[in-house]
mmCIF file with all atom_site columns, all heavy atoms in Angstrom:
data_model
loop_
_atom_site.group_PDB
_atom_site.id
_atom_site.type_symbol
_atom_site.label_atom_id
_atom_site.label_alt_id
_atom_site.label_comp_id
_atom_site.label_asym_id
_atom_site.label_entity_id
_atom_site.label_seq_id
_atom_site.pdbx_PDB_ins_code
_atom_site.Cartn_x
_atom_site.Cartn_y
_atom_site.Cartn_z
_atom_site.occupancy
_atom_site.B_iso_or_equiv
_atom_site.pdbx_formal_charge
_atom_site.auth_seq_id
_atom_site.auth_comp_id
_atom_site.auth_asym_id
_atom_site.auth_atom_id
_atom_site.pdbx_PDB_model_num
ATOM 1  N N   . GLU A 1 295 ? 4.198  -8.872  31.316 1.00 93.00 ? 314 GLU A N   1
ATOM 2  C CA  . GLU A 1 295 ? 4.464  -10.057 32.134 1.00 93.00 ? 314 GLU A CA  1
ATOM 3  C C   . GLU A 1 295 ? 5.908  -10.087 32.617 1.00 93.00 ? 314 GLU A C   1
ATOM 4  O O   . GLU A 1 295 ? 6.227  -10.688 33.633 1.00 93.00 ? 314 GLU A O   1
ATOM 5  C CB  . GLU A 1 295 ? 4.164  -11.336 31.341 1.00 93.00 ? 314 GLU A CB  1
ATOM 6  C CG  . GLU A 1 295 ? 2.679  -11.666 31.340 1.00 93.00 ? 314 GLU A CG  1
ATOM 7  C CD  . GLU A 1 295 ? 2.313  -12.695 30.277 1.00 93.00 ? 314 GLU A CD  1
ATOM 8  O OE1 . GLU A 1 295 ? 3.216  -13.397 29.801 1.00 93.00 ? 314 GLU A OE1 1
ATOM 9  O OE2 . GLU A 1 295 ? 1.118  -12.771 29.936 1.00 93.00 ? 314 GLU A OE2 1
ATOM 10 N N   . MET A 1 296 ? 6.791  -9.419  31.878 1.00 94.00 ? 315 MET A N   1
ATOM 11 C CA  . MET A 1 296 ? 8.196  -9.369  32.283 1.00 94.00 ? 315 MET A CA  1
ATOM 12 C C   . MET A 1 296 ? 8.481  -8.177  33.169 1.00 94.00 ? 315 MET A C   1
ATOM 13 O O   . MET A 1 296 ? 9.645  -7.830  33.390 1.00 94.00 ? 315 MET A O   1
ATOM 14 C CB  . MET A 1 296 ? 9.092  -9.314  31.050 1.00 94.00 ? 315 MET A CB  1
ATOM 15 C CG  . MET A 1 296 ? 9.163  -10.637 30.350 1.00 94.00 ? 315 MET A CG  1
ATOM 16 S SD  . MET A 1 296 ? 10.763 -10.835 29.595 1.00 94.00 ? 315 MET A SD  1
ATOM 17 C CE  . MET A 1 296 ? 10.504 -12.297 28.659 1.00 94.00 ? 315 MET A CE  1
ATOM 18 N N   . GLY A 1 297 ? 7.443  -7.518  33.641 1.00 95.00 ? 316 GLY A N   1
ATOM 19 C CA  . GLY A 1 297 ? 7.634  -6.426  34.594 1.00 95.00 ? 316 GLY A CA  1
ATOM 20 C C   . GLY A 1 297 ? 7.808  -5.067  33.944 1.00 95.00 ? 316 GLY A C   1
ATOM 21 O O   . GLY A 1 297 ? 8.168  -4.090  34.601 1.00 95.00 ? 316 GLY A O   1
ATOM 22 N N   . GLY A 1 298 ? 7.560  -4.977  32.646 1.00 96.00 ? 317 GLY A N   1
ATOM 23 C CA  . GLY A 1 298 ? 7.699  -3.699  31.953 1.00 96.00 ? 317 GLY A CA  1
ATOM 24 C C   . GLY A 1 298 ? 6.350  -3.022  31.774 1.00 96.00 ? 317 GLY A C   1
ATOM 25 O O   . GLY A 1 298 ? 5.328  -3.527  32.238 1.00 96.00 ? 317 GLY A O   1
ATOM 26 N N   . PRO A 1 299 ? 6.340  -1.871  31.095 1.00 97.00 ? 318 PRO A N   1
ATOM 27 C CA  . PRO A 1 299 ? 5.078  -1.204  30.802 1.00 97.00 ? 318 PRO A CA  1
ATOM 28 C C   . PRO A 1 299 ? 4.295  -2.012  29.765 1.00 97.00 ? 318 PRO A C   1
ATOM 29 O O   . PRO A 1 299 ? 4.905  -2.744  28.985 1.00 97.00 ? 318 PRO A O   1
ATOM 30 C CB  . PRO A 1 299 ? 5.518  0.141   30.205 1.00 97.00 ? 318 PRO A CB  1
ATOM 31 C CG  . PRO A 1 299 ? 6.893  -0.096  29.689 1.00 97.00 ? 318 PRO A CG  1
ATOM 32 C CD  . PRO A 1 299 ? 7.506  -1.191  30.512 1.00 97.00 ? 318 PRO A CD  1
ATOM 33 N N   . ALA A 1 300 ? 2.969  -1.893  29.782 1.00 97.00 ? 319 ALA A N   1
ATOM 34 C CA  . ALA A 1 300 ? 2.163  -2.614  28.789 1.00 97.00 ? 319 ALA A CA  1
ATOM 35 C C   . ALA A 1 300 ? 2.621  -2.178  27.405 1.00 97.00 ? 319 ALA A C   1
ATOM 36 O O   . ALA A 1 300 ? 2.560  -0.994  27.078 1.00 97.00 ? 319 ALA A O   1
ATOM 37 C CB  . ALA A 1 300 ? 0.689  -2.292  28.991 1.00 97.00 ? 319 ALA A CB  1
ATOM 38 N N   . THR A 1 301 ? 3.130  -3.126  26.611 1.00 98.00 ? 320 THR A N   1
ATOM 39 C CA  . THR A 1 301 ? 3.702  -2.792  25.301 1.00 98.00 ? 320 THR A CA  1
ATOM 40 C C   . THR A 1 301 ? 3.384  -3.909  24.330 1.00 98.00 ? 320 THR A C   1
ATOM 41 O O   . THR A 1 301 ? 3.845  -5.040  24.515 1.00 98.00 ? 320 THR A O   1
ATOM 42 C CB  . THR A 1 301 ? 5.252  -2.683  25.394 1.00 98.00 ? 320 THR A CB  1
ATOM 43 O OG1 . THR A 1 301 ? 5.591  -1.861  26.509 1.00 98.00 ? 320 THR A OG1 1
ATOM 44 C CG2 . THR A 1 301 ? 5.846  -2.118  24.125 1.00 98.00 ? 320 THR A CG2 1
ATOM 45 N N   . PRO A 1 302 ? 2.606  -3.617  23.291 1.00 98.00 ? 321 PRO A N   1
ATOM 46 C CA  . PRO A 1 302 ? 2.339  -4.687  22.315 1.00 98.00 ? 321 PRO A CA  1
ATOM 47 C C   . PRO A 1 302 ? 3.605  -5.048  21.548 1.00 98.00 ? 321 PRO A C   1
ATOM 48 O O   . PRO A 1 302 ? 4.539  -4.241  21.463 1.00 98.00 ? 321 PRO A O   1
ATOM 49 C CB  . PRO A 1 302 ? 1.305  -4.052  21.379 1.00 98.00 ? 321 PRO A CB  1
ATOM 50 C CG  . PRO A 1 302 ? 1.479  -2.574  21.540 1.00 98.00 ? 321 PRO A CG  1
ATOM 51 C CD  . PRO A 1 302 ? 1.980  -2.339  22.927 1.00 98.00 ? 321 PRO A CD  1
ATOM 52 N N   . GLY A 1 303 ? 3.632  -6.251  20.995 1.00 98.00 ? 322 GLY A N   1
ATOM 53 C CA  . GLY A 1 303 ? 4.806  -6.673  20.230 1.00 98.00 ? 322 GLY A CA  1
ATOM 54 C C   . GLY A 1 303 ? 4.424  -7.695  19.179 1.00 98.00 ? 322 GLY A C   1
ATOM 55 O O   . GLY A 1 303 ? 3.400  -8.377  19.292 1.00 98.00 ? 322 GLY A O   1
ATOM 56 N N   . ILE A 1 304 ? 5.223  -7.755  18.157 1.00 98.00 ? 323 ILE A N   1
ATOM 57 C CA  . ILE A 1 304 ? 5.024  -8.780  17.113 1.00 98.00 ? 323 ILE A CA  1
ATOM 58 C C   . ILE A 1 304 ? 6.368  -9.084  16.463 1.00 98.00 ? 323 ILE A C   1
ATOM 59 O O   . ILE A 1 304 ? 7.236  -8.192  16.384 1.00 98.00 ? 323 ILE A O   1
ATOM 60 C CB  . ILE A 1 304 ? 4.001  -8.336  16.036 1.00 98.00 ? 323 ILE A CB  1
ATOM 61 C CG1 . ILE A 1 304 ? 3.873  -9.414  14.957 1.00 98.00 ? 323 ILE A CG1 1
ATOM 62 C CG2 . ILE A 1 304 ? 4.369  -6.987  15.411 1.00 98.00 ? 323 ILE A CG2 1
ATOM 63 C CD1 . ILE A 1 304 ? 2.642  -9.298  14.090 1.00 98.00 ? 323 ILE A CD1 1
ATOM 64 N N   . GLY A 1 305 ? 6.543  -10.334 16.022 1.00 98.00 ? 324 GLY A N   1
ATOM 65 C CA  . GLY A 1 305 ? 7.801  -10.671 15.359 1.00 98.00 ? 324 GLY A CA  1
ATOM 66 C C   . GLY A 1 305 ? 7.753  -12.058 14.756 1.00 98.00 ? 324 GLY A C   1
ATOM 67 O O   . GLY A 1 305 ? 6.713  -12.719 14.757 1.00 98.00 ? 324 GLY A O   1
ATOM 68 N N   . PHE A 1 306 ? 8.880  -12.463 14.235 1.00 98.00 ? 325 PHE A N   1
ATOM 69 C CA  . PHE A 1 306 ? 8.994  -13.824 13.690 1.00 98.00 ? 325 PHE A CA  1
ATOM 70 C C   . PHE A 1 306 ? 10.441 -14.293 13.797 1.00 98.00 ? 325 PHE A C   1
ATOM 71 O O   . PHE A 1 306 ? 11.355 -13.489 14.008 1.00 98.00 ? 325 PHE A O   1
ATOM 72 C CB  . PHE A 1 306 ? 8.559  -13.875 12.207 1.00 98.00 ? 325 PHE A CB  1
ATOM 73 C CG  . PHE A 1 306 ? 9.476  -13.098 11.300 1.00 98.00 ? 325 PHE A CG  1
ATOM 74 C CD1 . PHE A 1 306 ? 10.674 -13.637 10.834 1.00 98.00 ? 325 PHE A CD1 1
ATOM 75 C CD2 . PHE A 1 306 ? 9.153  -11.801 10.926 1.00 98.00 ? 325 PHE A CD2 1
ATOM 76 C CE1 . PHE A 1 306 ? 11.526 -12.906 10.024 1.00 98.00 ? 325 PHE A CE1 1
ATOM 77 C CE2 . PHE A 1 306 ? 10.009 -11.053 10.107 1.00 98.00 ? 325 PHE A CE2 1
ATOM 78 C CZ  . PHE A 1 306 ? 11.201 -11.621 9.659  1.00 98.00 ? 325 PHE A CZ  1
ATOM 79 N N   . GLY A 1 307 ? 10.609 -15.611 13.666 1.00 98.00 ? 326 GLY A N   1
ATOM 80 C CA  . GLY A 1 307 ? 11.950 -16.186 13.581 1.00 98.00 ? 326 GLY A CA  1
ATOM 81 C C   . GLY A 1 307 ? 11.963 -17.191 12.448 1.00 98.00 ? 326 GLY A C   1
ATOM 82 O O   . GLY A 1 307 ? 10.933 -17.814 12.151 1.00 98.00 ? 326 GLY A O   1
ATOM 83 N N   . MET A 1 308 ? 13.115 -17.326 11.803 1.00 98.00 ? 327 MET A N   1
ATOM 84 C CA  . MET A 1 308 ? 13.210 -18.354 10.753 1.00 98.00 ? 327 MET A CA  1
ATOM 85 C C   . MET A 1 308 ? 14.538 -19.082 10.885 1.00 98.00 ? 327 MET A C   1
ATOM 86 O O   . MET A 1 308 ? 15.571 -18.484 11.194 1.00 98.00 ? 327 MET A O   1
ATOM 87 C CB  . MET A 1 308 ? 13.048 -17.736 9.372  1.00 98.00 ? 327 MET A CB  1
ATOM 88 C CG  . MET A 1 308 ? 13.991 -16.598 9.085  1.00 98.00 ? 327 MET A CG  1
ATOM 89 S SD  . MET A 1 308 ? 13.866 -16.060 7.365  1.00 98.00 ? 327 MET A SD  1
ATOM 90 C CE  . MET A 1 308 ? 12.406 -15.066 7.379  1.00 98.00 ? 327 MET A CE  1
#
Side-chain angles (χ1 to χ4, degrees):
E314 279 165 19
M315 286 212 188
T320 311
I323 178 163
F325 66 82
M327 54 173 79

